[in-house]
Amino acid sequence: MLSEEFVSSICGPPLTSNTAIAKDAGINSHTLSPAYSVNSTFKKSATPVNCLAVNDTHAFAAQHEKAYVHVYSRLRGNQEAFVSFPERIRCLTLAGDVLIMGTAEGRLMLWEICTGRLVSTPPRHVQAVSCVAATSYHVITGSDDSDIHVWSLSQLLELDSTAEHEPDRSLPNHRAAITSLVVGQSANPDTSICVSASKDKSCIVWNYLTGDALRTLLFPSFPLCVNLDPSSRALFVSSEDSSLYMVEFFAERPLLGPGAEDSATVVQVSSAFGVMPSDAGPASCLAASYDGTLLLTGHPNGQILKWDVADNRTPVELANLNASVTNIIFTSPLPGRKNTKAMNIVKPGQGGRHYTFTAQLESELGPETRFDSSLNATGFPQDVLEGAISAFQQPSAESAGDQDLARQNDELWGIINEQRALQKQTLQKYIDAKAAHP
């Protein structure tokens, strides 16, 4: 059975003198299913909202009002590095082996963790970058200046580029600071959507490749954080008034797609999916499980609540971390296959002239054999099944050995038949001779 795991972070001092919680634990790794448990903890970290990024090997945590990032090794269970930067980090995320950071000065910085290369853009935002989201091809940044920029990841990482980095396009429809961003992982230009939340009490669904605003959603109070379900069919929103909303994009009256109303029509969202308990406060972070059936919310009073999306709307307290919960990130139970693994990160530096990639190989360098593919496949490999089916459908051709054996068999039968004929002829002569001399 696959297990679902997530990582949480806190920021701020302990709320009570609870001795049951590990001292100085700032980041926790949890198992959600089949049974809840805390796997490991990392100490001495105060991680604000939007400042935690996790992959299979490491956790990266920007520190509150600081210009440095703590790097923790998930494989060894310790703090691996303390990395300082020229500006305070306000948000960060991962795109493969590239850590993407937004700064308090409106700048974007990209750190290749396997090479140490650091790329910095001019301050294209007037105010601090408050949130950042990424796909395999694009980076999307939101700022306190209410603007959203869409960047090409490949252009930002060009080795020989001498031109100043510019965003591909800007999404300027909001009128107040951006509080949260979430992006779908579809590579299809027609379904490449992202959702932005702002203090102007609205969320906007964008096609970030074209710059079109597909739908504007208005809420009674401004949204604090947003998250898409894994298939990008619904949006979860936590607002300042402690309400939790679920907006379905393809319900009976779809908000997106061919049957939707004109995109200029603003949708007023007033029916809440659920209300946070009074002792928890509004959720400062939320995350949907891998199958989209569960939703986790983190709260300023230390609670992590679990919501069952399908059956009921009554939350269950999963854990209490005794400090403000600022980030919750699910790790995929089916991680994508990679050829390398970053066992140790390479600290960033702007002065290096050599480009050296440091990582551990995950597989053999030679081509995969048929035996390896059959051994590592789930069930029977497709090519083996196709070969077996075609063998049943086509008549089997005689091999060269079978043909030679048949020829020898025919020759042997020819000799036998000749001997039989000769024996019969001799016997007949004997009978005739005996009859002539009684």
Side-chain angles (χ1 to χ4, degrees), residues 184-246:
Q185 297 302 311
S186 172
N188 189 322
D190 296 329
T191 56
S192 298
I193 66 170
C194 74
V195 182
S196 59
S198 170
K199 289 186 177 181
D200 61 9
K201 299 183 180 180
S202 73
C203 286
I204 299 180
V205 184
W206 307 87
N207 184 323
Y208 62 86
L209 292 184
T210 63
D212 297 328
L214 304 178
R215 184 65 61 193
T216 300
L217 309 172
L218 292 180
F219 296 88
S221 62
F222 76 80
L224 296 173
C225 53
V226 295
N227 193 262
L228 286 168
D229 89 318
S231 58
S232 299
R233 296 181 61 88
L235 175 70
F236 300 102
V237 181
S238 169
S239 65
E240 189 188 26
D241 62 357
S242 296
S243 297
L244 179 65
Y245 297 91
M246 182 176 70

Side-chain angles (χ1 to χ4, degrees), residues 35-359:
Y36 174 76
S37 62
V38 178
N39 302 329
S40 59
T41 60
F42 301 110
K43 296 184 176 182
K44 298 180 180 179
S45 177
T47 312
V49 175
N50 299 326
C51 287
L52 178 68
V54 179
N55 62 12
D56 294 339
T57 58
H58 292 86
F60 302 85
Q63 300 303 295
H64 181 59
E65 296 296 328
K66 305 286 183 167
Y68 48 78
V69 173
H70 288 181
V71 182
Y72 299 91
S73 172
R74 298 185 64 199
L75 301 178
R76 293 183 292 271
N78 62 352
Q79 182 172 344
E80 180 178 322
F82 170 92
V83 184
S84 60
F85 292 92
E87 299 177 14
R88 286 185 294 121
I89 307 299
R90 281 287 307 273
C91 55
L92 54 79
T93 191
L94 276 167
D97 289 330
V98 179
L99 185 68
I100 304 167
M101 299 164 285
T103 73
E105 304 299 324
R107 200 182 307 273
L108 193 62
M109 290 193 293
L110 293 88
W111 167 28
E112 293 182 348
I113 63 174
C114 290
T115 67
R117 178 171 174 245
L118 184 65
V119 177
S120 181
T121 70
R124 298 305 181 193
H125 285 288
V126 178
Q127 298 182 42
V129 181
S130 56
C131 45
V132 59
T135 69
S136 300
Y137 306 100
H138 293 87
V139 178
I140 305 170
T141 57
S143 170
D144 289 342
D145 63 9
S146 78
D147 283 340
I148 300 168
H149 293 331
V150 181
W151 308 74
S152 169
L153 183 58
S154 59
Q155 291 181 4
L156 289 172
L157 295 176
E158 282 183 348
L159 292 175
D160 298 329
S161 177
T162 56
E164 287 192 346
H165 297 291
E166 295 279 354
D168 285 356
R169 63 189 56 85
S170 296
L171 313 176
N173 289 27
H174 283 294
R175 302 185 304 275
I178 309 299
T179 58
S180 184
L181 274 175
V182 63
V183 60
Q185 297 302 311
S186 172
N188 189 322
D190 296 329
T191 56
S192 298
I193 66 170
C194 74
V195 182
S196 59
S198 170
K199 289 186 177 181
D200 61 9
K201 299 183 180 180
S202 73
C203 286
I204 299 180
V205 184
W206 307 87
N207 184 323
Y208 62 86
L209 292 184
T210 63
D212 297 328
L214 304 178
R215 184 65 61 193
T216 300
L217 309 172
L218 292 180
F219 296 88
S221 62
F222 76 80
L224 296 173
C225 53
V226 295
N227 193 262
L228 286 168
D229 89 318
S231 58
S232 299
R233 296 181 61 88
L235 175 70
F236 300 102
V237 181
S238 169
S239 65
E240 189 188 26
D241 62 357
S242 296
S243 297
L244 179 65
Y245 297 91
M246 182 176 70
V247 181
E248 296 187 54
F249 295 148
F250 306 100
E252 184 177 350
R253 296 180 61 183
L255 301 180
L256 303 177
E261 299 179 6
D262 182 18
S263 60
T265 304
V266 178
V267 177
Q268 181 74 46
V269 182
S270 55
S271 178
F273 170 77
V275 178
M276 311 296 176
S278 58
D279 61 339
S284 54
C285 57
L286 52 83
S289 63
Y290 183 77
D291 59 3
T293 60
L294 297 176
L295 186 70
L296 300 185
T297 56
H299 300 266
N301 291 335
Q303 295 96 328
I304 297 179
L305 301 182
K306 180 178 71 173
W307 305 73
D308 193 322
V309 175
D311 294 338
N312 60 69
R313 302 181 181 183
T314 303
V316 176
E317 182 174 308
L318 199 62
N320 192 320
L321 303 182
N322 198 33
S324 177
V325 181
T326 52
N327 294 276
I328 297 176
I329 298 176
F330 271 96
T331 59
S332 173
L334 300 171
R337 185 173 181 179
K338 296 177 60 178
N339 295 325
T340 60
K341 178 188 292 186
M343 297 297 295
N344 297 285
I345 60 100
V346 180
K347 288 188 176 183
Q350 292 179 316
R353 294 180 176 272
H354 299 286
Y355 192 84
T356 304
F357 185 87
T358 305

